Amino acid sequence: MTESMSDSAPGWFSPEELDAVRRRLPILYVNAVPVRADDTGMVTHVGLLLRAAPDGTISRALVSGRVLYHERIRDALVRHLEKDLGPMALPHIPASPQPFTVAEYFPTPGITPFHDPRQHAVSLAYVVPVTGDCQPRQDALDLVWFTPEEAAGPAVQEEMSGGQGVLLRQALGHVNRLV
């Protein structure tokens, strides 16, 4: 799970406040699996970010981030997709998006396949078709488009951390592209 802090945006906590909240409450997140689809709606490619963690490790990641206080889920998805993929990504999000799954991240490994050492987080996960030009921004180093077969393969799965590879495979299963 990744996020960017902004002191000017309403709904953001200071780093100290966020650490205190994370020790006491589950935090709501969204995960988005950006996809390209053909004219029939069949998913042809999955976009994965390349990120550097604070400890210096590099991994593949889905678009993800917190939902702010008083922010609609749809708006959080748009904000995080634009933050990571750029303003010209042109995501297609329905008026009332429905997640394909809910992932629970725990600070203790092994409770679920999803692990975030900072917190207990609940993430609503979505497959989001994008049709525009995607350029990684902010803390994303790169964006690579993989075929569903490549994305589900061991090489890409090993590059994902915190259970996001499991979430990616669930997304591929949801769109009938898991081999």
Side-chain angles (χ1 to χ4, degrees), residues 4 9-12 28-30 64-83 97 124 126:
S4 174
W12 287 111
L28 182 61
Y29 276 77
V30 291
S64 66
R66 283 189 291 137
V67 177
L68 298 177
Y69 177 74
H70 215 258
E71 181 178 41
R72 295 178 336 150
I73 298 296
R74 185 177 192 287
D75 295 335
L77 280 167
V78 169
R79 179 170 55 84
H80 289 293
L81 285 159
E82 182 175 300
K83 174 186 68 87
L124 306 174
Y126 301 86

Side-chain angles (χ1 to χ4, degrees), residues 12-26:
W12 287 111
F13 291 112
S14 71
E16 296 78 22
E17 291 170 324
L18 183 58
D19 286 342
V21 170
R22 282 179 165 153
R23 287 190 300 271
R24 292 176 180 84
L25 299 169

Side-chain angles (χ1 to χ4, degrees), residues 14-177:
S14 71
E16 296 78 22
E17 291 170 324
L18 183 58
D19 286 342
V21 170
R22 282 179 165 153
R23 287 190 300 271
R24 292 176 180 84
L25 299 169
I27 306 294
L28 182 61
Y29 276 77
V30 291
N31 280 115
V33 180
V35 299
R36 300 272 194 208
D38 65 18
D39 293 339
T40 68
M42 176 72 71
V43 170
T44 60
H45 291 86
V46 177
L48 297 176
L49 299 167
L50 189 64
R51 291 196 190 277
D55 66 1
T57 59
I58 305 284
S59 64
R60 297 272 173 214
L62 304 174
V63 172
S64 66
R66 283 189 291 137
V67 177
L68 298 177
Y69 177 74
H70 215 258
E71 181 178 41
R72 295 178 336 150
I73 298 296
R74 185 177 192 287
D75 295 335
L77 280 167
V78 169
R79 179 170 55 84
H80 289 293
L81 285 159
E82 182 175 300
K83 174 186 68 87
D84 286 342
L85 304 181
M88 300 306 294
L90 305 177
H92 293 272
I93 303 171
S96 297
Q98 298 296 313
F100 69 86
T101 196
V102 175
E104 268 193 287
Y105 291 81
F106 283 90
T108 306
I111 296 174
T112 70
F114 310 106
H115 176 247
D116 185 336
R118 304 167 301 165
Q119 66 193 338
H120 176 189
V122 177
S123 182
L124 306 174
Y126 301 86
V127 173
V128 180
V130 294
T131 58
D133 181 35
C134 298
Q135 298 295 321
R137 295 178 39 183
Q138 301 227 348
D139 60 345
L141 303 173
D142 195 13
L143 172 71
V144 177
W145 293 97
F146 294 95
T147 66
E149 296 77 20
E150 291 169 332
V156 171
Q157 290 288 306
E158 288 172 9
E159 293 180 344
M160 301 187 82
S161 64
Q164 287 203 344
V166 172
L167 198 56
L168 173 59
R169 290 182 59 80
Q170 289 176 339
L172 292 169
H174 179 73
V175 297
N176 295 319
R177 290 307 315 254

